[in-house]
Each structure stands twice: as structure tokens, then as C-alpha cells.
Amino acid sequence: MTETGTVAFDLNDPDVIADPYPHYARLREHASVHHSTAPDLWLLSRYDDVVLALRDATRFSSDPGTGGDFADNPFNPSTSLPGWATRLIDRVLPTRTLLTSDPPEHTRLRKKVSRAFAPRRIAQWEPRIREITESLMDELADRAARGESVDLVRDFASPLPTIVIAELMGIPAARRDDFKRWSDHLIDGLLTGGDTRRMATSAAAISLFFARTVRQRRRHPGEDLVSLLVTPDADGVLGTMDLIVFCVLLLVAGNETTTNLVSNAVHALLDRPAVWQQLIAEPGLAAAAVEETLRYDSPGQGLLRCTTTEVRLHEVVIPAGARVLPLVGSANRDPGRWDAPDEFRLDRNSNDHIAFGVGIHYCIGNALARMEARAALETLARRAPALSRAGHPIRIPSPVLRGFRSLPIRIEP
């Protein structure tokens, strides 16, 4: 546990992970710029400060190398990568990703991949996303009819983005289980009690898979997202390693974000029967429910940055080379920005939330995640109005990934 002034805050405390919001409120009020020594992080909790840090790519760098040695995992120190794995990753994946680069490298990468996520292109996928959602709902209903257990995460919220991303990338249906396993291992290796050896093995397997996929698409391009990325444009082509890293990032980030968004939304709605009934009566409110979930219980609670120079905020000096964690989850509950921020309401204008980041690193896949989540909530409200809990939910053991590993539900005819 660490202290700044009179405020004690432990990022990895199980109580904080279970419900971080009362702890965020204390930080915002008493230590909005908080220095944690274990792990060594500077925490920003107020909306304006978080937005400042995320917009200012000059002073708050996204390059992890700016903050020194990142062999440790600051979010769950007990699962630090062993030295051999860190050295292997440094050798095999020396390139920067969209998440871990600054201009001009970030500008180059962003420009290259943005065409694959153009709004018009993503909008064309809505009918197919709704087909997938209906199919998953059919399977849920069949399981319930057979008297089998139904888990929202395992049977619905997790398969949805996995299938969508696999089809976007032109990956055969037979490899979806591999996709899901690799993605889960990469995420779980960063969590408390996670298996870092399995994480490293899956990282190698998925990198090899995408290396082969990139070579195949260069020889025989199709209509899928990978083919679009390997096609040269006016600025040339992306390197093979850039393409592999982006494909891995898309798979892992896309799966985890959407899965957590859907499960967090259903969890919040089941806690509020009156709001759930609102959605049943008017499924079009699914868009509002998605935005309010993003604000109220964001799938990503923080975005890591490193200072390139000394920064003064509220008379507190953050030194150069410091690791800074702008707490997106706290910013989205700041009473200085929203009225009654701890209430979940569908009549709220939640458009100022920063669940997808802000500035140059604004999530490139936000439209896809929103579309999937809207389809999921509309389908559940229409086909499972008597949805209820069937057991104790299990949260992801992470201070930065907010969601569920299991959310048992009951579906009545």
C-alpha cells in the first residue's frame, strides 16, 4: 500500500479491483496527482488532468521505453515477465504499435491502418454482425432449453468479437478456437496468477500464424482486412513486422474490449430492473446503454504514459522519465464533469466520456466495438426479456482491465 499525504491507495488491492470507484473518489478529492511507490506510478484521477495527459503526446509519451525498464508488470507485479521472455520479446518484436508509439512513427502507422477502419467500410459489416449475434442467441436459447448452464461471457460476449474479427481478417472458421485461446493466454499472462510462460508461447504461435497469413495475402490478396493492409498505397507498404504486430493488437484488444463492454453493460442492467425494462420497451436505447456503460464502467480503466520532461500539475511535480497512469475510469466518474456520475442512466448525454481515449491515440476500432455492443444489447432485450442472474459473477483480476471472466445468467422462455 502506498500513500500520498493522507490518502492511502493500492492499485492492486483486491478491494480496489472489485470496486475502484469509491477509491477513485478519494483520490480526486484529496490526491488528484498521486504517487504510488509499489508499483512506481503517478496516478491522475480528475477528468481535466486525464484528458490533458492523453492529449499531450509531447510531454506524456506512449513509448514505454521512455520510462525505463518495462520488464516488470506495474499492474500486477506478482506476474512479472521473466528475463528470458523480456529479451525474446525485445528481439522478436522491436517495432512500435499504435498504442506504444509517438509521432512521427505513430502518424505513419495510423495513416496506414485507418483506411481499414473507415466508417463506411465498418458500417457494411452491421448486417453480418447482427446475423452472428442472432446465431449466438439461438445457441443460448438451445442451451437453456436443454437445462444446461448459460454464461454470458463464455457463450455470448466472448464469441461475438472473436467471430467478427476472424471474419474481418479472412481467417478460416476452423482457426477461431486458436484465435480465442491465443488471445486469452496473452491477456491472462498479465493478470494476477497468470501463466507468463503460456503467454510467451501463445505470443510466438500467433506471431508465426500472422507472418504466414501476411505472406499468403501478399501473393493472393482478397477482400479481407489483412489484404487491405498489405496493399501498397501512395506512401508505400507496411513492413512485415508492423503488420504482424498490428494483427496481434487488433485480435487481443478488439476481443477484450468488446467482451468486457457487453458483459459490463449486462451486469449494470441486471442490477437495475427499471433501466432494463426501459431497454426492453425501446431497444433503440441500446446505443445510449452502450455509451453510458463506457462512461460508467469502462472496459479500460487506465492508459499508461511516460513523462519526457518534468511536469507540474496542481503544485505537484512529476519528474521526467516517470510512469504515469491517467485513470480513465475515474475521469469518467468525475462529478466536475457529470451530474450524479455514480448513477447509471439512459437519458444522460455521455458523449464526453473518454473510454476509447482521446487525441491521437483515440481507439481506431471504436465504431466496430460500439456496433457489436449495440447489436448484442438489442438482441438480448428483444429475445431474452426475462434475463436474470444464475450465479456469482467472477471479475477479471486486474486494476486496468474491467470486465468479467464469468457471468452466469438464466434465460426464461
Side-chain angles (χ1 to χ4, degrees):
M1 184 165 59
T2 61
E3 296 191 4
T4 296
T6 60
V7 177
F9 182 85
D10 182 356
L11 189 69
N12 294 292
D13 185 330
D15 289 338
V16 173
I17 292 174
D19 185 8
Y21 300 107
H23 304 277
Y24 291 162
R26 288 191 297 110
L27 285 180
R28 287 193 303 268
E29 184 175 357
H30 301 292
S32 61
V33 182
H34 175 92
H35 184 216
S36 164
T37 56
D40 186 5
L41 285 172
W42 290 81
L43 307 176
L44 306 182
S45 52
R46 292 180 184 169
Y47 182 92
D48 289 343
D49 295 335
V50 170
V51 169
L52 170 68
L54 296 183
R55 285 193 184 279
D56 190 347
T58 301
R59 293 189 299 167
F60 294 89
S61 171
S62 296
D63 183 350
T66 307
D69 183 11
F70 259 56
D72 63 312
N73 175 1
F75 307 123
N76 280 297
S78 63
T79 58
S80 299
L81 283 173
W84 66 267
T86 302
R87 290 190 294 272
L88 177 62
I89 291 173
D90 287 341
R91 290 185 60 188
V92 175
L93 295 178
T95 56
R96 296 300 181 205
T97 70
L98 279 175
L99 293 180
T100 59
S101 61
D102 298 318
E105 180 67 9
H106 175 270
T107 306
R108 181 186 72 86
L109 291 172
R110 182 96 181 190
K111 183 178 180 181
K112 287 287 188 181
V113 302
S114 288
R115 56 181 176 157
F117 289 89
R120 182 179 300 178
R121 179 179 178 84
I122 295 301
Q124 293 173 350
W125 277 85
E126 184 166 8
R128 177 55 185 150
I129 288 172
R130 292 190 176 276
E131 287 180 5
I132 295 168
T133 307
E134 293 290 343
S135 177
L136 290 172
M137 193 67 226
D138 289 341
E139 294 175 15
L140 280 184
D142 289 344
R143 290 182 66 93
R146 293 193 300 267
E148 300 176 9
S149 64
V150 178
D151 191 291
L152 182 90
V153 177
R154 180 194 65 201
D155 302 321
F156 190 74
S158 181
L160 174 59
T162 301
I163 295 171
V164 171
I165 291 175
E167 292 194 6
L168 271 168
M169 303 177 83
I171 305 303
R175 300 306 300 268
R176 288 175 189 163
D177 288 343
D178 292 331
F179 256 44
K180 179 58 181 168
R181 184 179 68 256
W182 291 331
S183 179
D184 286 347
H185 289 176
L186 291 174
I187 291 294
D188 290 344
L190 300 174
L191 306 180
T192 299
D195 188 332
T196 54
R197 186 176 298 274
R198 190 171 62 180
M199 179 182 69
T201 301
S202 289
I206 194 172
S207 297
L208 179 60
F209 174 83
F210 279 125
R212 291 170 176 167
T213 301
V214 166
R215 286 199 298 269
Q216 291 169 355
R217 296 297 192 276
R218 280 179 169 154
R219 291 195 297 266
H220 306 289
E223 299 297 324
D224 58 275
L225 186 146
V226 179
S227 296
L228 181 62
L229 291 174
V230 302
T231 303
D233 60 16
D235 298 312
V237 296
L238 283 172
T240 299
M241 191 58 70
D242 286 330
L243 288 164
I244 293 171
V245 170
F246 180 73
C247 287
V248 174
L249 176 63
L250 176 62
L251 170 65
V252 177
N255 273 336
E256 194 69 19
T257 298
T258 304
T259 298
N260 293 346
L261 174 54
V262 173
S263 58
N264 287 353
V266 173
H267 177 71
L269 290 166
L270 291 180
D271 277 347
R272 297 161 179 82
V275 182
W276 175 236
Q277 290 302 316
Q278 276 185 273
L279 185 59
I280 292 170
E282 191 177 345
L285 288 173
V290 169
E291 297 306 315
E292 180 67 341
T293 301
L294 287 165
R295 184 202 67 82
Y296 178 83
D297 204 15
S298 174
Q301 292 286 297
L303 296 168
L304 196 63
R305 296 291 186 264
C306 304
T307 53
T308 59
T309 186
E310 184 178 279
V311 178
R312 180 181 292 272
L313 281 176
H314 309 297
E315 303 307 315
V316 178
V317 176
I318 304 175
R323 295 188 291 192
V324 179
L325 185 66
L327 292 168
V328 171
S330 175
N332 282 335
R333 293 276 196 108
D334 190 338
R337 175 60 55 167
W338 288 277
D339 177 50
D342 293 326
E343 294 181 9
F344 185 95
R345 303 193 329 230
L346 300 187
D347 62 348
R348 187 195 303 275
N349 182 359
S350 303
N351 292 339
D352 286 344
H353 75 72
I354 53 174
F356 287 118
V358 68
I360 64 171
H361 285 282
Y362 188 73
C363 176
I364 198 170
N366 74 90
L368 181 62
R370 284 177 160 117
M371 186 181 298
E372 291 172 312
R374 285 197 306 269
L377 294 186
E378 288 178 13
T379 302
L380 287 169
R382 177 169 45 83
R383 297 189 55 183
L387 189 69
S388 61
R389 299 187 187 279
H392 183 69
I394 300 174
R395 279 211 171 270
I396 298 172
S398 169
V400 289
L401 298 177
R402 181 84 176 154
F404 294 89
R405 280 291 171 254
S406 175
L407 186 56
I409 57 173
R410 183 179 294 105
I411 298 177
E412 302 294 342

